[in-house]
Amino acid sequence: MSFAPLTLVVIAAFIHATWNLLAKRAAAAGPAFVFAYNVVATVAYLPWVIWLLATREQVWNWPIAFCFLASAIIHLGYSLCLQRGYQVADLSVVYPIARGTGPLFSSIGAFILLQEAPTWLGVIGLAAVVAGIGFISTQGNLAAFRQPKGQEGVRWGLGTGSLIAAYTVVDGYGVKVLGIHPVLLDWFSNFLRLFLLGPLMLKRRAHMMKAMEGHWWLAVGVGLFSPLSYILVLTAVDMGAPLSLVAPAREMSMMVGAIFGMLILREPVNVWRVAGCATIIAGVVLLGAA
């Protein structure tokens, strides 16, 4: 992976960690929050989409339409699956499994479906990133996985990780093979999600408004930052960076999140977090060399 796309992925990781800090404060709002920040994202990025459609030639066909729909369905499923996992199990179980297995599955999918050739440096870098995520998330304590809800957390984490892999491969295929502009892909996926989730929200409008009390500005922040983070990742793929390397490299957000936790939330610094950060940095260096 060359310097330019790797830089985009690193910037995306910082933005991803930032909007996750905002989303964490609105976790109780559930699907209502997901719908709210999708509305913000659709409205906020519409001028950019209009400009692209007016100045850039874009081929439209059925494969592209199916890619938009598949992306919307998978992204929505991912958001709801992750939320459900947090409802029935601990964050320390669901999140590391989801973020750790996501890049593994997506890289395997890239090797098989996109026929990207694996390299030893890439594979070692991928393994290092996943290991670093595990160090930061578990902090060396695997006892959470043996708790009564641990196995349920494992199932929801694996389900979420598989959806991360699915949308990474589908969107990567859309950008690299179908030639869809990253902004258009992300925007149309967001737009379709409104139609998929909208009927439920309209049916339960009073419940949605109550759930969103005090969370609207957080939805604005997530609606602005979340698409930008993912657009940068898709742009890196569009620039020619292998999806099998981009997928694990973007998980640097876990390292950034740990640093934010230490500096902003004053979470304790321990050897596992330091080791995790160092391991992820080493993994990203190897991915860049690959």
Side-chain angles (χ1 to χ4, degrees), residues 18-44:
T18 300
W19 75 253
N20 270 275
L21 281 177
L22 300 178
K24 182 179 180 180
R25 296 179 58 187
F33 187 73
V34 175
F35 181 76
Y37 73 68
N38 270 297
V39 172
V40 173
T42 302
V43 174

Side-chain angles (χ1 to χ4, degrees), residues 1-11 236 239-242 284-285 287-290:
M1 196 189 313
S2 63
F3 178 76
L6 182 60
T7 300
L8 291 182
V9 174
V10 172
I11 294 173
M239 293 172 65
V284 171
V285 170
L287 292 174

Side-chain angles (χ1 to χ4, degrees), residues 120-142:
W120 280 110
L121 284 179
V123 171
I124 294 173
L126 186 156
V129 170
V130 174
I133 292 170
F135 291 160
I136 291 173
S137 301
T138 66
Q139 300 184 53
N141 180 17
L142 300 180

Side-chain angles (χ1 to χ4, degrees), residues 57-71:
E57 183 178 352
Q58 174 67 56
V59 177
W60 301 99
N61 51 42
W62 283 111
I64 289 177
F66 283 126
C67 182
F68 286 150
L69 182 59
S71 177

Side-chain angles (χ1 to χ4, degrees), residues 136-159:
I136 291 173
S137 301
T138 66
Q139 300 184 53
N141 180 17
L142 300 180
F145 297 99
R146 297 192 295 269
Q147 298 300 321
K149 292 187 177 181
Q151 292 302 315
E152 194 169 6
V154 169
R155 289 194 293 271
W156 283 104
L158 288 174

